[in-house]
Amino acid sequence: MTSSNTPRTPHTPHTPNPPASVATSPTLSTTEITTPRLRLRKAHDADRAGLIELQTDPQVRLHLGGPRPRSAVEQHFEAMGVAHVTDEPRTFVIADRTTDDLAGVLLIHRRPADLPGHVTEEGGELELTYVLRRAAWGTGLAFEAATAALRAAASELPDQPVLIVTQTANTRSLDLSARLGFRRVSTFEAYEAEQTLAVAGLHSFLA
Protein backbone atom coordinates (compact mmCIF):
# COMPACT_ATOMS: atom_id res chain seq x y z
CA MET A 1 0.00 0.00 0.00
CA THR A 2 1.13 3.53 -0.59
CA SER A 3 0.36 6.88 0.96
CA SER A 4 -0.58 10.02 -0.92
CA ASN A 5 0.34 12.34 1.94
CA THR A 6 3.98 11.35 2.26
CA PRO A 7 6.67 13.93 1.35
CA ARG A 8 8.95 13.06 -1.56
CA THR A 9 12.66 13.47 -2.11
CA PRO A 10 13.91 16.44 -4.13
CA HIS A 11 16.01 14.07 -6.28
CA THR A 12 15.08 14.49 -9.94
CA PRO A 13 16.32 11.63 -12.13
CA HIS A 14 15.74 11.51 -15.87
CA THR A 15 12.57 9.85 -17.09
CA PRO A 16 11.74 8.98 -20.71
CA ASN A 17 9.83 11.46 -22.84
CA PRO A 18 8.25 13.68 -20.17
CA PRO A 19 5.75 16.20 -21.54
CA ALA A 20 6.54 19.89 -21.53
CA SER A 21 4.41 20.42 -18.42
CA VAL A 22 2.95 17.44 -16.62
CA ALA A 23 1.70 19.74 -13.89
CA THR A 24 -0.94 21.14 -16.26
CA SER A 25 -1.72 17.80 -17.95
CA PRO A 26 -5.16 16.24 -17.53
CA THR A 27 -5.84 13.40 -15.15
CA LEU A 28 -7.68 10.14 -15.76
CA SER A 29 -11.34 10.83 -16.54
CA THR A 30 -12.86 7.34 -16.77
CA THR A 31 -15.12 6.45 -13.84
CA GLU A 32 -15.17 2.64 -14.09
CA ILE A 33 -12.59 -0.01 -15.01
CA THR A 34 -13.16 -3.76 -15.05
CA THR A 35 -10.75 -6.69 -14.81
CA PRO A 36 -11.37 -10.45 -14.67
CA ARG A 37 -11.90 -10.28 -10.89
CA LEU A 38 -12.50 -6.63 -10.10
CA ARG A 39 -14.54 -3.57 -10.83
CA LEU A 40 -13.00 -0.18 -10.09
CA ARG A 41 -15.99 2.05 -9.51
CA LYS A 42 -17.59 4.87 -7.57
CA ALA A 43 -18.28 4.43 -3.85
CA HIS A 44 -21.79 3.74 -2.55
CA ASP A 45 -23.43 3.27 0.84
CA ALA A 46 -22.70 -0.47 1.05
CA ASP A 47 -18.97 0.37 1.12
CA ARG A 48 -19.21 2.16 4.48
CA ALA A 49 -18.03 -0.72 6.70
CA GLY A 50 -15.10 -1.50 4.42
CA LEU A 51 -14.03 2.13 4.20
CA ILE A 52 -14.13 2.43 7.99
CA GLU A 53 -12.02 -0.71 8.27
CA LEU A 54 -9.39 0.75 5.93
CA GLN A 55 -9.04 3.76 8.22
CA THR A 56 -9.05 1.92 11.56
CA ASP A 57 -7.24 -1.40 11.00
CA PRO A 58 -3.80 -1.19 12.72
CA GLN A 59 -2.17 -3.55 10.20
CA VAL A 60 -3.57 -1.77 7.16
CA ARG A 61 -2.46 1.59 8.61
CA LEU A 62 0.92 0.37 9.85
CA HIS A 63 2.85 2.31 7.18
CA LEU A 64 0.23 5.04 6.74
CA GLY A 65 0.53 6.95 9.99
CA GLY A 66 -1.33 4.49 12.20
CA PRO A 67 -5.03 3.73 12.68
CA ARG A 68 -7.52 6.54 13.09
CA PRO A 69 -10.08 6.56 15.95
CA ARG A 70 -13.14 4.62 14.87
CA SER A 71 -15.54 7.16 16.36
CA ALA A 72 -13.94 9.98 14.37
CA VAL A 73 -14.06 7.98 11.13
CA GLU A 74 -17.71 7.04 11.68
CA GLN A 75 -18.60 10.66 12.42
CA HIS A 76 -16.84 11.73 9.23
CA PHE A 77 -18.89 9.36 7.07
CA GLU A 78 -22.09 10.33 8.88
CA ALA A 79 -21.41 13.97 8.09
CA MET A 80 -20.01 13.61 4.58
CA GLY A 81 -21.57 10.40 3.30
CA VAL A 82 -19.76 7.60 1.51
CA ALA A 83 -20.07 8.77 -2.10
CA HIS A 84 -17.71 11.71 -1.52
CA VAL A 85 -14.78 9.28 -1.27
CA THR A 86 -14.79 8.91 -5.05
CA ASP A 87 -16.06 12.35 -6.06
CA GLU A 88 -12.95 12.80 -8.21
CA PRO A 89 -12.91 10.71 -11.44
CA ARG A 90 -9.36 9.55 -10.65
CA THR A 91 -10.41 7.89 -7.37
CA PHE A 92 -11.84 4.37 -7.35
CA VAL A 93 -13.24 1.81 -4.97
CA ILE A 94 -11.70 -1.60 -5.74
CA ALA A 95 -14.63 -4.05 -5.64
CA ASP A 96 -15.04 -7.76 -6.26
CA ARG A 97 -16.61 -8.13 -9.67
CA THR A 98 -18.96 -10.93 -8.52
CA THR A 99 -20.00 -9.85 -5.02
CA ASP A 100 -19.33 -6.10 -5.38
CA ASP A 101 -17.71 -6.19 -1.92
CA LEU A 102 -15.12 -3.48 -1.28
CA ALA A 103 -11.52 -4.71 -1.33
CA GLY A 104 -9.75 -1.36 -1.22
CA VAL A 105 -9.33 2.10 -2.72
CA LEU A 106 -7.06 3.27 -5.55
CA LEU A 107 -6.14 6.74 -6.80
CA ILE A 108 -4.23 8.04 -9.81
CA HIS A 109 -3.77 11.67 -8.91
CA ARG A 110 -1.32 14.55 -9.28
CA ARG A 111 1.52 14.91 -6.80
CA PRO A 112 1.30 18.52 -5.50
CA ALA A 113 4.18 20.56 -6.84
CA ASP A 114 4.81 22.24 -3.49
CA LEU A 115 5.88 18.95 -1.91
CA PRO A 116 9.37 17.54 -2.44
CA GLY A 117 10.05 14.51 -4.59
CA HIS A 118 9.52 14.98 -8.28
CA VAL A 119 11.10 13.78 -11.50
CA THR A 120 10.32 16.96 -13.44
CA GLU A 121 11.21 20.51 -12.52
CA GLU A 122 7.59 21.68 -12.45
CA GLY A 123 6.26 18.70 -10.47
CA GLY A 124 2.64 17.60 -10.60
CA GLU A 125 3.41 14.12 -11.90
CA LEU A 126 0.87 11.34 -11.81
CA GLU A 127 1.05 9.27 -8.63
CA LEU A 128 -0.44 5.86 -7.94
CA THR A 129 -1.83 5.35 -4.43
CA TYR A 130 -3.76 2.35 -3.16
CA VAL A 131 -4.77 0.58 0.05
CA LEU A 132 -6.40 -2.84 0.48
CA ARG A 133 -8.28 -4.52 3.30
CA ARG A 134 -6.28 -7.26 5.03
CA ALA A 135 -8.56 -9.96 3.62
CA ALA A 136 -7.37 -8.98 0.12
CA TRP A 137 -3.65 -9.17 0.87
CA GLY A 138 -1.68 -11.87 -0.90
CA THR A 139 -4.36 -12.47 -3.54
CA GLY A 140 -2.85 -10.51 -6.42
CA LEU A 141 -5.73 -8.02 -6.36
CA ALA A 142 -3.49 -5.00 -5.82
CA PHE A 143 -1.43 -5.90 -8.89
CA GLU A 144 -4.56 -6.52 -10.95
CA ALA A 145 -6.18 -3.25 -9.91
CA ALA A 146 -3.04 -1.16 -10.36
CA THR A 147 -2.26 -2.66 -13.76
CA ALA A 148 -5.78 -2.00 -15.02
CA ALA A 149 -5.80 1.58 -13.75
CA LEU A 150 -2.39 2.35 -15.22
CA ARG A 151 -3.39 0.84 -18.56
CA ALA A 152 -6.51 2.98 -18.58
CA ALA A 153 -4.41 6.06 -17.87
CA ALA A 154 -1.89 5.10 -20.56
CA SER A 155 -4.64 4.75 -23.16
CA GLU A 156 -6.17 8.12 -22.26
CA LEU A 157 -3.28 10.42 -21.27
CA PRO A 158 -0.03 11.49 -22.95
CA ASP A 159 3.15 9.69 -21.96
CA GLN A 160 4.53 11.01 -18.67
CA PRO A 161 6.14 9.82 -15.43
CA VAL A 162 4.11 8.00 -12.78
CA LEU A 163 5.28 7.91 -9.15
CA ILE A 164 4.85 5.47 -6.30
CA VAL A 165 5.97 6.48 -2.80
CA THR A 166 5.90 4.20 0.21
CA GLN A 167 7.75 3.62 3.45
CA THR A 168 10.87 1.58 2.80
CA ALA A 169 9.77 -0.76 5.59
CA ASN A 170 6.68 -1.62 3.56
CA THR A 171 8.33 -4.42 1.62
CA ARG A 172 5.01 -5.74 0.32
CA SER A 173 4.33 -2.46 -1.45
CA LEU A 174 7.89 -2.15 -2.72
CA ASP A 175 7.73 -5.65 -4.18
CA LEU A 176 4.50 -4.78 -5.95
CA SER A 177 5.96 -1.59 -7.39
CA ALA A 178 8.84 -3.62 -8.82
CA ARG A 179 6.43 -6.17 -10.32
CA LEU A 180 4.56 -3.30 -11.96
CA GLY A 181 7.82 -2.09 -13.52
CA PHE A 182 8.56 0.91 -11.29
CA ARG A 183 12.22 1.79 -10.74
CA ARG A 184 13.41 2.93 -7.32
CA VAL A 185 15.19 6.26 -7.66
CA SER A 186 15.81 7.50 -4.11
CA THR A 187 15.06 7.24 -0.40
CA PHE A 188 14.46 9.99 2.12
CA GLU A 189 13.25 10.59 5.66
CA ALA A 190 9.70 11.77 6.35
CA TYR A 191 7.26 11.24 9.22
CA GLU A 192 10.05 9.64 11.23
CA ALA A 193 10.51 6.85 8.68
CA GLU A 194 12.51 6.24 5.52
CA GLN A 195 10.47 6.61 2.33
CA THR A 196 11.21 5.19 -1.12
CA LEU A 197 10.35 6.98 -4.37
CA ALA A 198 9.87 4.87 -7.51
CA VAL A 199 9.00 5.94 -11.07
CA ALA A 200 7.81 4.43 -14.32
CA GLY A 201 6.87 5.80 -17.74
CA LEU A 202 3.13 5.76 -18.41
CA HIS A 203 3.72 4.39 -21.92
CA SER A 204 5.07 1.16 -20.44
CA PHE A 205 1.55 0.19 -19.33
CA LEU A 206 -0.02 0.25 -22.78
CA ALA A 207 -1.61 -3.15 -23.35
Side-chain angles (χ1 to χ4, degrees), residues 22-181:
V22 298
T24 57
S25 296
T27 53
L28 183 62
S29 65
T30 188
T31 57
E32 183 165 310
I33 302 168
T34 58
T35 77
R37 294 186 293 169
L38 299 171
R39 186 159 65 101
L40 277 62
R41 57 162 173 78
K42 291 289 189 178
H44 54 59
D45 288 343
D47 299 322
R48 185 175 185 273
L51 291 168
I52 291 172
E53 180 184 321
L54 288 175
Q55 295 293 320
T56 59
D57 187 317
Q59 290 301 310
V60 171
R61 298 285 303 176
L62 180 63
H63 303 292
L64 299 173
R68 296 175 178 171
R70 186 178 185 89
S71 60
V73 175
E74 290 177 342
Q75 289 173 9
H76 171 79
F77 283 117
E78 287 172 4
M80 300 296 295
V82 171
H84 84 283
V85 172
T86 53
D87 280 345
E88 295 291 337
R90 59 186 179 267
T91 305
F92 303 90
V93 158
I94 304 169
D96 184 281
R97 190 168 177 177
T98 301
T99 66
D100 204 38
D101 290 342
L102 180 143
V105 175
L106 179 146
L107 299 80
I108 295 185
H109 56 141
R110 292 284 173 188
R111 177 63 180 162
D114 60 346
L115 293 177
H118 297 280
V119 294
T120 63
E121 290 185 1
E122 65 275 13
E125 302 93 332
L126 290 172
E127 181 181 6
L128 174 68
T129 303
Y130 62 90
V131 60
L132 266 67
R133 300 169 77 173
R134 259 193 290 172
W137 292 5
T139 62
L141 293 183
F143 180 84
E144 187 172 328
T147 299
L150 289 164
R151 284 178 177 173
S155 68
E156 184 179 325
L157 302 175
D159 185 27
Q160 56 197 281
V162 186
L163 308 179
I164 283 180
V165 174
T166 190
Q167 283 191 16
T168 305
N170 191 350
T171 56
R172 184 189 299 271
S173 194
L174 290 177
D175 289 345
L176 176 60
S177 71
R179 286 182 60 206
L180 289 167

